[in-house]
Amino acid sequence: PGFQRMREYLRQSCDHIWVIDCSPEGHQPEVNTRIFQGVQQPVCIVLASRSQHKQENTLASVKFRALPSGKRLDKFKVLQKLTLTSSGWLKCPDEATAPFLPQARKTWRSYPALEDFFTYHGSGVMPGRTWIIAPDQASLTQRWEALIQAPTMDRKEALFHPHWRKGKPGDKHVAKTVKEPLPGQPTRNLSIAEETKPPLQPIRYGFRSFDRQWIIPDSRLINQPNPTLWTHYSTHQIYLTAFLQESPKSGPALTITALIPDLHHYKGSFGGRVFPLWADKTATTPNLQQGVLNLLSQTYGSGVRPSALFAYIAAIAAHPDFTARFQKDLATPGIRIPLTASAELFQEAVAIGERVIWLHTFGERMADAQKGRSAGPPRLPEKKRPKIPKNGTIPTDPERMPAEIRYDADQGRLWVGEGYIDNVPVAVWNYEVSGKQTVLHWFSYRKKNRERPRIGDKRPPSPLNDLYPDRWLPEYTTELINLLNVLGLLIELEPQQADLLDRICSGSLLSEKKLQDVSLSAAFGSSASTSCSSPSENPDQLSFRF
């Protein structure tokens, strides 16, 4: 997504450019698939040619192809036979700074971009230090006490783990006083070095997709908290997270949480963007383009609630069929949402989307008992529900702290150390978000050895990260059961979402241009029937994408 000027220079300077993606598996693939076995980043080959007859003001043609997924030696065999005139090269966009990726199909380009629907989107919380986040509150208390009781200032600084710039702490550090607390949190007008009190009460945190952890909500600890997210947080708020500068590989193209989300909430790497439903704490001002809501209300002949449009987006893109269907289009980063012109299909999508949101938020949002969405953790029907038999109890003594999780497909059994959970479908075990296996990823933060692999020369984490329970906590079991039920119910919903998407894409649609036209009308106070007429009409409060 970066290097726009470089791409522009190459297009202006050359006649032809060829790009070969050698890493279709994405970031950190299996070692035997890597062109360079020690390199975890995706690798490509770029060949740019310029003749003596290069014409001024003419951009180079760019062609792209990807090697087949698989082993490194098989890729070498394909490369040996490949020529610049071989079939299979795909044309890339002609714009000077456009990515060196295949041009999206015209139909895909006509769909509104995800960001077209919202007035604001931003990054998730950037903690800057991982020790302030944990899957249990006890770990955070233990880490805080170790920090506060450290015998010397140097030891406190090492435990706190500041970023260093030119030999000095460059961001938050133990001697720094931060006057402004996070919105809704108590004020502590002293530095961490002077602190003697217990930590601020940890709150639930959207750490990863389907992984709810805890964070100390202290502005002295968090490098970049994104105050907007904290200011607008309430028990009504809902956040959608998705890639805009990277491309989802598999699973749902976006995920939802009721909790303030981490920068890497969607996948666990490569960041992403956060799209809140509401633009205020009271959940009265929507974070959706009012012109779009007006257009939909006129198209469908009845008012469209902000939460309904939010649910529609969830129904359309929060499932694996969306990512698989548009995989070639998604090679160029950016998510687009086919928007139906049918009131009936819209309402059908809203009903499905509300259930999707209810599941993604573990029953904390969109609860409606009359529609089968009771408040509280969702549960599969009794016969399909994951269960721990009497002799399958996950041990809670230190000697048998689970070090691994594995799946027995023949028995439908999920082993957690020496304990196990029955009635777990293979699809639940295999469920993933952009190539990251959800259950396995969730367990990695709760197992006996929680060390994370170090990439390149990345600095080691704070020693405080090594402070966590020496045994499996009962609350881990409760949350794992919650997770398995949620994933099972989402998988049951996927065929309905796939069928709905197929009918929407084959029916009458509203184009991106239509939405941009109505946004222009709202922004410049046009007297057209689609002009903005919400309580937040002030164009200065709205941002538009053109």
Side-chain angles (χ1 to χ4, degrees), residues 230-395:
W230 297 84
T231 300
H232 298 163
Y233 175 72
S234 74
T235 55
H236 302 285
Q237 184 65 274
I238 312 171
Y239 305 96
L240 179 160
T241 66
F243 281 154
L244 288 191
Q245 300 298 326
E246 298 289 336
S247 299
K249 304 297 182 184
S250 57
L254 52 87
T255 57
I256 301 109
T257 179
L259 307 171
I260 293 175
D262 188 84
L263 170 67
H264 299 295
H265 175 267
Y266 172 69
K267 180 186 176 180
S269 57
F270 297 108
R273 303 299 282 178
V274 177
F275 299 81
L277 169 57
W278 299 107
D280 65 345
K281 192 179 185 70
T282 59
T284 55
T285 303
N287 180 42
L288 290 153
Q289 295 280 12
Q290 185 60 43
V292 175
L293 293 170
N294 290 347
L295 172 64
L296 296 181
S297 296
Q298 293 165 11
T299 301
Y300 304 145
S302 62
V304 172
R305 295 172 289 109
S307 59
L309 178 54
F310 199 86
Y312 176 90
I313 294 170
I316 294 298
H319 62 103
D321 187 74
F322 177 93
T323 308
R325 182 188 187 106
F326 299 118
Q327 190 63 61
K328 290 184 179 179
D329 300 302
L330 287 166
T332 298
I335 293 173
R336 293 179 174 273
I337 305 294
L339 186 57
T340 183
S342 164
E344 291 76 15
L345 286 176
F346 181 83
Q347 290 303 326
E348 184 180 343
V350 170
I352 292 175
E354 289 176 344
R355 186 167 180 82
V356 169
I357 293 170
W358 176 68
L359 291 170
H360 277 239
T361 61
F362 290 74
E364 294 185 0
R365 300 291 185 270
M366 298 289 181
D368 188 334
Q370 292 183 346
K371 296 181 179 179
R373 305 193 301 268
S374 300
R379 286 291 181 265
L380 283 155
E382 183 67 30
K383 291 183 179 180
K384 297 182 178 180
R385 196 171 298 171
K387 295 180 176 67
I388 300 180
K390 185 177 181 180
N391 57 351
T393 302
I394 302 171

Side-chain angles (χ1 to χ4, degrees), residues 9 46 57 70-71 75 126 148 199 209 217 230 247 263 283 288 298 331 338 389 405 408 420 422 469 476 507:
Y9 172 79
V46 180
N57 302 319
K71 296 181 179 179
K75 293 178 179 180
M126 303 184 203
I148 298 307
S209 292
W230 297 84
S247 299
L263 170 67
L288 290 153
Q298 293 165 11
I405 191 169
D408 184 335
Y420 58 87
D422 281 337
Y476 293 175

Side-chain angles (χ1 to χ4, degrees), residues 21-78:
D21 178 6
C22 301
S23 308
E25 298 85 0
H27 181 62
Q28 290 183 331
E30 295 294 328
V31 173
N32 65 359
T33 70
R34 302 176 191 174
I35 293 292
F36 303 107
Q37 291 175 294
V39 177
Q40 302 181 68
Q41 298 289 343
V43 173
C44 67
I45 298 169
V46 180
L47 172 64
S49 73
R50 178 173 60 190
S51 71
Q52 294 179 338
H53 307 292
K54 166 66 180 174
Q55 296 182 6
E56 293 294 328
N57 302 319
T58 302
L59 298 179
S61 66
V62 183
K63 295 182 178 180
F64 174 95
R65 73 183 306 132
L67 297 181
S69 299
K71 296 181 179 179
R72 172 173 174 260
L73 295 179
D74 292 336
K75 293 178 179 180
F76 287 166
K77 292 177 182 178
V78 173

